[in-house]
Amino acid sequence: MSIPATMRALQQTSTRGPQDMRSITDAPVPSPDRGEVLIRVAAAGVNFADISKAHGTFRGGPQPPYLAGFEAAGEVVAVGAAVTGPRPGTHVIGVGHGAFAEYMVLTAAAAMPVPAGWTGEQALGLVVNWPTALAALKPLGRMAAGETVLVHAAAGATGQAAVTMAKHYGATVIATAAPSKHEAVLALGADHVLDSLDGDLSAEVLRLTGGGGADVVLESAGGATFNASLAAAKPVTGRVVVYGVAGGAAAITNWDLVYKHQVHIIGLNIGVLIQAAPEIFGELISELSALIAAGVLAPAAPTTYDLADGPKALAQLEARATVGKLALRP
Ligand SMILES: NC(=O)c1ccc[n+]([C@@H]2O[C@H](COP(=O)([O-])OP(=O)(O)OC[C@H]3O[C@@H](n4cnc5c(N)ncnc54)[C@H](OP(=O)(O)O)[C@@H]3O)[C@@H](O)[C@H]2O)c1
């Protein structure tokens, strides 16, 4: 199969947000450098980080104009120098630059095979949302069977994986989501689901835990919810894993930690974890593979959009109007 010189792609042209993402038809098809492979994108994953990048708030993110998107699955169609695998014809998933396009380059060593029998689209989440959820629960949140885990954005791509895995590991799950999404969250096995816009989330969590609080909080909501998460965590032993700022930055002081919230606050950024603690990432991927083999994690069934409708998909994600994973098909 011949590889064209140019391709369709979505280009982010400003830091004003996803509305300034435009379709182009003449983006150069990248060529794989040493240690890289070129994939023909079957499906690109949409992530909350795409929104942060479009607003210029993702630390170290790309400067416009740039090809948007960073997660994609597809078939390897060319390999750079010194690549021993994956070979052309292999279906892989990975992260890189410019996933909202017909072709994309991935680092060969980090390109993961799509699980046997799955389509690329069904594997979306495997290298971003699922390891983030698992890292938050296990190596960082140190959850144990019988503990209570509070999961925000539980109907989202990362939240659904977190609820599924926390239940599998024997936790009681208190989830938060918009009311229209509660059914989806309960179907995953969550024990309780609260309205994420309820002004008194911490009181509800304390009521559901007999006044004790949650052992682990998966905090991605940010804004005013961050404070509720701190108040909902069990004093002295509660762990609050902070991995998202959807509602904006929120502050905590040393005074708060001494006098108000005697909890463990743990930051998580999966990109930094991959770089700084590759052995932990390797363990996460091994565990995810085992969960897939055991049928705990099922193929994703993302809501799909045409590539050209990417700005619409991002706008819906930003407006809290989506459930589960979103994908763009080039
Ligand atoms: N640190 C990392 O490495 C890492 C990796 C992956 C994801 N994340 C973070 O995990 C979170 C979920 O990401 P995702 O891609 O899976 O998205 P998602 O959960 O599918 O969608 C985001 C959801 O967050 C909830 N939310 C709460 N406050 C919000 C606000 N002020 N604005 C918009 N949404 C808000 C909404 O659910 P309700 O309306 O139902 O409450 C919304 O549907 C994001 O914060 C993301 O940045 C972090």
Side-chain angles (χ1 to χ4, degrees):
M1 195 217 73
S2 68
I3 298 164
T6 57
M7 62 180 184
R8 289 181 296 112
L10 292 180
Q11 185 187 53
Q12 180 68 35
T13 59
S14 81
T15 52
R16 283 187 294 269
Q19 82 273 9
D20 284 350
M21 194 175 278
R22 61 173 188 139
S23 269
I24 56 173
T25 55
D26 57 353
V29 172
S31 41
D33 259 331
R34 189 181 178 81
E36 293 179 338
V37 297
L38 179 72
I39 64 166
R40 188 172 54 239
V41 175
V46 177
N47 288 281
F48 207 85
D50 292 310
I51 293 168
S52 315
K53 288 179 182 178
H55 285 289
T57 56
F58 189 97
R59 188 167 184 236
Q63 293 302 309
Y66 62 88
L67 295 194
F70 63 93
E71 176 195 17
E75 181 184 350
V76 175
V77 291
V79 300
V83 172
T84 52
R87 303 183 64 77
T90 313
H91 292 259
V92 297
I93 176 157
V95 295
H97 301 289
F100 297 168
E102 290 181 280
Y103 293 86
M104 177 197 190
V105 154
L106 297 175
T107 302
M112 280 190 48
V114 168
W118 291 22
T119 64
E121 198 167 285
Q122 290 172 324
L124 291 176
L126 181 52
V127 290
V128 182
N129 311 94
W130 298 2
T132 302
L134 181 55
L137 289 171
K138 283 287 197 171
L140 300 180
R142 304 187 308 279
M143 71 142 286
E147 289 193 325
T148 299
V149 178
L150 171 62
V151 181
H152 290 298
T158 310
Q160 287 203 12
V163 172
T164 303
M165 289 189 276
K167 283 311 298 174
H168 173 72
Y169 296 129
T172 297
V173 172
I174 303 176
T176 81
S180 63
K181 309 174 192 174
H182 284 193
E183 213 171 300
V185 176
L186 290 169
L188 298 169
D191 298 274
H192 311 279
V193 58
L194 305 173
D195 178 354
S196 48
L197 289 177
D198 185 327
D200 215 351
L201 279 178
S202 59
E204 279 297 300
V205 174
L206 292 174
R207 183 181 64 76
L208 291 169
T209 54
D215 297 288
V216 182
V217 180
L218 266 51
E219 201 345 276
S220 63
T225 306
F226 179 67
N227 215 30
S229 292
L230 298 175
K234 186 177 275 182
V236 182
T237 58
R239 288 87 72 195
V240 181
V241 185
V242 182
Y243 61 96
V245 293
I252 178 163
T253 65
N254 53 356
W255 188 93
D256 292 330
L257 286 169
V258 174
Y259 292 110
K260 252 171 107 181
H261 303 300
Q262 298 79 6
V263 297
H264 306 230
I265 299 189
I266 302 158
L268 165 60
N269 178 314
I270 200 69
V272 172
L273 185 148
I274 291 169
Q275 295 298 324
E279 67 292 348
I280 296 181
F281 189 68
E283 286 163 18
L284 292 172
I285 294 299
S286 301
E287 176 69 359
L288 290 173
S289 302
L291 293 174
I292 289 168
V296 174
L297 290 172
T303 303
T304 57
Y305 300 74
D306 287 338
L307 181 65
D309 289 330
K312 185 170 131 198
L314 267 75
Q316 288 175 341
L317 184 64
E318 190 169 17
R320 312 175 75 148
T322 64
V323 172
K325 188 73 180 169
L326 311 182
L328 304 186
R329 281 185 187 152

